[in-house]
Amino acid sequence: MGSQAPRRKPPALCRWAAIALALALCCAPALARSAPRPLVAAVPANMPPHFSLDQAGRPTGIAVELAQRVAERAGYHLSFLITPDLEQAIRAMHSAEADLVPGLGVSPGRKRFQLFTEPFEFQPVHIFFRASARPVETRLDLVGKRLVLVRGTIAEEFLAQQPEIQAHVVDTLADAIFHTLSGEADVLVYQTELVRQALNASGMAGALDMSS
């Protein structure tokens, strides 16, 4: 989870080949010392396996269940604010509509504005390309390729500002996959399991290959 923190000099860049997911609590140290009170977690509606909605429209998923257990053990009552995507969830935390975002990836840029617990999971990030295309294996291979990134992601933080890389930023993973499959983009950089889940759910498993 992440929480808001005073501005400070950003730490050195870490590797972008994996994302550490953590629990991000707004002002977590202050919460621990204060009297018990309700907490609000902002969660995306559809980012399985970490976030999704059950048949009754209630949040579920790995990150949701972990946040519930942590809050219960700490003596807090956790409620949820459902947002369309992860970027909106982060904005809700920054605007104080929510206290935390569970399962948020840790990056130097995000550490400038929020606090994180120790990571509970590391997710690999791969380069995805059309199955019929020549493999793209490394960051150097991205030079000269039309890269599509999802807004607000750690991949965008690390790659969109690099002058040698031609990057186009879209709002959702579905948009990024469409751009790649349609040929509007050559490659997509994103969390591996989330791309696989999206392709399987849309009946397009195997349409994209990924770096080794």
Side-chain angles (χ1 to χ4, degrees):
M1 299 181 188
S3 63
Q4 297 191 14
R7 291 178 180 269
R8 59 183 182 275
K9 184 177 179 181
L13 294 180
C14 62
R15 293 183 58 193
W16 60 274
I19 292 177
L21 298 185
L23 306 179
L25 282 170
C26 288
C27 306
L31 289 176
R33 293 192 297 267
S34 63
R37 67 176 179 86
L39 289 177
V40 178
V43 296
N46 186 29
M47 284 184 63
H50 294 87
F51 308 100
S52 59
L53 301 179
D54 63 18
Q55 293 183 345
R58 294 172 301 213
T60 187
I62 297 172
V64 170
E65 293 172 6
L66 179 60
Q68 288 175 319
R69 292 187 181 184
V70 170
E72 182 179 351
R73 291 187 179 184
Y76 295 105
H77 172 72
L78 187 64
S79 60
F80 294 96
L81 172 66
I82 301 171
T83 64
D85 52 42
L86 183 58
E87 186 177 9
Q88 293 295 322
I90 295 172
R91 288 180 182 176
M93 182 175 65
H94 289 174
S95 66
E97 294 179 76
D99 300 300
L100 61 97
V101 178
L104 184 62
V106 182
S107 74
R110 289 176 177 174
K111 281 184 174 181
R112 294 175 61 193
F113 304 105
Q114 55 219 20
L115 301 176
F116 289 88
T117 66
E118 290 297 317
F120 65 84
E121 180 183 14
F122 286 85
Q123 286 192 351
V125 174
H126 278 86
I127 302 169
F128 289 86
F129 45 87
R130 291 182 298 282
S132 58
R134 183 177 179 179
V136 180
E137 292 293 338
T138 70
R139 183 163 58 177
L140 291 178
D141 293 335
L142 296 176
V143 178
K145 300 292 185 182
R146 295 170 299 168
L147 168 65
V148 63
L149 300 169
V150 179
R151 193 180 315 280
T153 61
I154 294 176
E156 182 201 10
E157 178 182 329
F158 282 110
L159 295 174
Q161 305 305 319
Q162 299 192 26
E164 71 276 15
I165 295 177
Q166 179 185 351
H168 176 62
V169 180
V170 297
D171 291 327
T172 68
L173 175 57
D175 290 337
I177 291 174
F178 174 80
H179 276 66
T180 309
L181 291 175
S182 67
E184 295 179 54
D186 299 314
V187 290
L188 159 68
V189 176
Y190 204 80
Q191 289 147 274
T192 310
E193 188 58 31
L194 297 184
V195 175
R196 286 175 172 169
Q197 294 252 358
L199 290 172
N200 290 337
S202 59
M204 294 187 292
L208 294 179
D209 282 341
M210 67 180 188
S211 56
S212 57

